[in-house]
Amino acid sequence: MYISLTGNSDNKDVYIKRSYRKSNGKTATQIHRKLGKLNKLLEQFSGDYDAMMAWARSEAEKDTIEYNSKTGSVTVSLSKSAYIPKNEERCFQIGYLFLQKLCTELKIDSICRKISKRHKYTYDFSAILTDQIFSRILSPSSKLGSYSYCQTLLEPPKYELQNIYRSLSLMAEESDFIQEELYRNSNFVHPRNKKILYYDCTNYYFEIEQDDDFRKYGKSKENRPNPIVTMGLFMDADGIPLAFDVFPGNQNEQTTLKPLETKVIRDFACGGFIFCSDAGLGSKSNRRFNSFANRSYVITQSLKKMREEDRLTALNPKQFRRLGSGQFFDLSTLDESDPDIYETIFYKEVPVVNGNMDETVIVTYSPKYKVYQKRIREQQIARAVKMMEQPGKKRRGRNQNDPARFIKSTAITQEGEVAGKNIYDLDLDRISEEERYDGFYAVITNLEGEVGEILKINRQRWEIEENFRIMKTDFEARPVYVRRKDRIKAHFLTCYISLLVYRLLEKKTGNRYTCNEILSTLRSMQVTLLSKESGYIPSYKRTELTDDLHKAFSFHTDYEFISKSAMRSIIKSTKTKEVKK
């Protein structure tokens, strides 16, 4: 179908027309749909003729797809004796089409064109970058594995494998620019909520023994004795990633914040916002940094690391309040078996002074959280007892959740000398000390406002933890199959962009589905080629989620039969930015 303008210069009509072949073999055209008067349509587009025509052509493409899919039954001739062609791909992945549409809306092709003006290369950088995103989400593996996977897409790669490796250096060099452009363009896909910015770090280990200038030995979050690199990630208030960077594994996490936040403020035009992070990244220096230029902070506070005087005030059971009430409560007199009390969160505000910084520690107490912590500790104590019953030397507890922290050893001495044998027992003092903090939680802030809103800001930190989980588990960001520093950075850039695309996909489908549901559905969406002359049939289960995907992206792959021309139109629509009225 195509667009036709008919009439005189002052009174033109805009039609969608369709070509067809008559019974005598000759071609003819007929009006399929009238879009309206040219002058009226131009008024809707503020006189922009090109924008109006772009919209009209997109309408013609939609009508073409719909017409081709609904023109009735299709007859396909298949032979029971003919073999299928050797080495011909007949099953194709189409879940990537939804991701491709998002990449188009993020204007990745435009970003790559801008980069091409600064570099000399002959390969299709945009195709390589988007294919790396598709494979990271749909079939995460090595660069060689991703190249092989992309051969199963409806549009297989036209570049060579070596082009992927060459492009990695370019990705690393242009990482900051790509992130800046993606942030700017993402606002047109889903308006970014930058009133609150969350920051956290994680690290990725490498299965090597010798460190280098970038992969360094450091404190691994997975307690692995391998060199690591550290990733710092900013997230907006809607859980969508904002910016990232990677640092040497031996660098203190607290020092990663300022350079990345400075870049966000400068390049992303993020002015005043509330910074939220955990206690490990909430050093005094980082809090002071977020005390200027209309910035403030809400940071998890460790009660154990507070000054003795402030900690005693915080844990004092008196002078607690109930959220939304001005009445004071004494925690020691609460009937925690009462369902209403059990579900209630109580709080206390403790003003603290750190040099010239006036801050408030908001201490909360929850009977429900107390029961949860007690149950977890009892399970850990049970594991510690089993460890003591096993023969051999007992290891020391590695972290605050390691059951071995509850085991204490006593050396057996004989005539004043060590006999070379230890006895092990539960550390009851350690258990009693931890019980003091059951049910308590605290944040430190320089905000003045409703306590409930401040606590709500902190509760959203779980989403940045989920972002890391998705990258590590679902996108298999580790193991990393490249060694050079620039290629390692490029690898994590594709992981970051994949996370951004995935989060926007969640928003498109109304946040109704889990990560596993979305990924398993996209990965299962395939079509089977019947013959080169005919077209495709879907080879996946139609569900409520597939319906929502098609509705959100305005194309359908769930017809019983899709002709080749209709599929070409679908592919074209995923690469075309819609012009909105």
Side-chain angles (χ1 to χ4, degrees), residues 159-172:
Y159 50 84
E160 301 297 327
L161 176 62
Q162 62 264 27
N163 298 142
I164 297 179
Y165 292 103
R166 290 169 182 166
S167 70
L168 296 179
S169 299
L170 181 60
M171 290 183 199

Side-chain angles (χ1 to χ4, degrees), residues 275-307:
F275 170 79
C276 186
S277 187
D278 64 17
L281 291 159
S283 65
K284 185 177 179 180
S285 174
N286 286 343
R287 299 202 304 273
R288 182 180 289 108
F289 182 69
N290 282 289
S291 300
F292 301 101
N294 296 320
R295 297 196 303 277
S296 50
Y297 55 85
V298 177
I299 294 172
T300 305
Q301 173 66 47
S302 171
L303 289 169
K304 297 177 183 178
K305 295 182 180 179
M306 290 177 66
R307 291 186 305 178

Side-chain angles (χ1 to χ4, degrees), residues 98-365:
F98 304 99
L99 308 177
Q100 184 161 268
K101 184 65 174 177
L102 276 171
C103 289
T104 298
E105 294 178 358
L106 288 170
K107 302 180 183 178
I108 288 181
D109 186 54
S110 174
I111 295 172
C112 293
R113 283 198 300 271
K114 292 178 182 178
I115 292 174
S116 68
K117 296 178 181 178
R118 299 194 288 269
H119 301 270
K120 292 182 180 180
Y121 53 81
T122 56
Y123 48 81
D124 190 339
F125 181 52
S126 178
I128 292 174
L129 181 56
T130 52
D131 279 358
Q132 287 298 301
I133 295 167
F134 303 155
S135 61
R136 182 55 50 186
I137 295 175
L138 300 176
S139 182
S141 62
S142 65
K143 300 299 175 280
L144 174 60
S146 67
Y147 181 71
S148 299
Y149 173 76
C150 288
Q151 305 294 331
T152 68
L153 304 182
L154 273 174
E155 306 163 274
K158 296 180 180 179
Y159 50 84
E160 301 297 327
L161 176 62
Q162 62 264 27
N163 298 142
I164 297 179
Y165 292 103
R166 290 169 182 166
S167 70
L168 296 179
S169 299
L170 181 60
M171 290 183 199
E173 183 178 345
E174 295 289 347
S175 177
D176 289 351
F177 174 75
I178 292 172
Q179 291 180 63
E180 179 186 350
E181 290 290 297
L182 284 173
Y183 165 74
R184 185 175 292 112
N185 297 342
S186 66
N187 279 280
F188 298 100
V189 181
H190 183 85
R192 304 301 294 270
N193 184 351
K194 55 185 182 181
K195 294 180 180 178
I196 308 167
L197 299 187
Y198 296 84
Y199 183 71
D200 204 353
C201 288
T202 192
N203 49 51
Y204 297 85
Y205 69 89
F206 291 76
E207 292 168 327
I208 57 175
E209 294 183 2
Q210 182 61 47
D211 63 351
D212 53 32
D213 292 338
F214 191 53
R215 298 173 292 179
K216 294 285 189 180
Y217 283 103
K219 187 176 181 180
S220 170
K221 295 183 183 293
E222 298 172 75
N223 298 311
R224 298 289 300 237
N226 302 89
I228 59 175
V229 298
T230 296
M231 171 187 280
L233 178 70
F234 265 104
M235 177 190 85
D236 70 14
D238 289 331
I240 304 174
L242 188 78
F244 91 102
D245 206 348
V246 284
F247 306 90
N250 64 346
Q251 183 171 338
N252 188 323
E253 288 186 351
Q254 294 181 357
T255 64
T256 65
L257 171 66
K258 290 183 183 179
L260 186 53
E261 186 172 344
T262 300
K263 181 173 66 177
V264 167
I265 295 170
R266 181 189 66 238
D267 298 339
F268 294 14
C270 291
F273 55 80
I274 300 171
F275 170 79
C276 186
S277 187
D278 64 17
L281 291 159
S283 65
K284 185 177 179 180
S285 174
N286 286 343
R287 299 202 304 273
R288 182 180 289 108
F289 182 69
N290 282 289
S291 300
F292 301 101
N294 296 320
R295 297 196 303 277
S296 50
Y297 55 85
V298 177
I299 294 172
T300 305
Q301 173 66 47
S302 171
L303 289 169
K304 297 177 183 178
K305 295 182 180 179
M306 290 177 66
R307 291 186 305 178
E308 180 67 19
E309 179 183 354
D310 294 332
R311 182 169 63 252
L312 291 175
T313 302
L315 296 177
N316 189 320
K318 297 181 179 180
Q319 299 298 307
F320 274 82
R321 295 180 181 178
R322 190 172 186 164
L323 285 175
S325 171
Q327 180 183 357
F328 287 103
F329 292 84
D330 184 339
L331 300 183
S332 62
T333 64
L334 294 177
D335 179 9
E336 297 185 2
S337 63
D338 184 332
D340 182 49
I341 296 295
Y342 180 77
E343 297 287 344
T344 298
I345 295 177
F346 301 88
Y347 76 93
K348 174 193 288 188
E349 295 178 89
V350 181
V352 294
V353 177
N354 285 308
N356 60 350
M357 297 172 62
D358 292 330
E359 302 172 305
T360 301
V361 174
I362 301 175
V363 185
T364 65
Y365 175 78

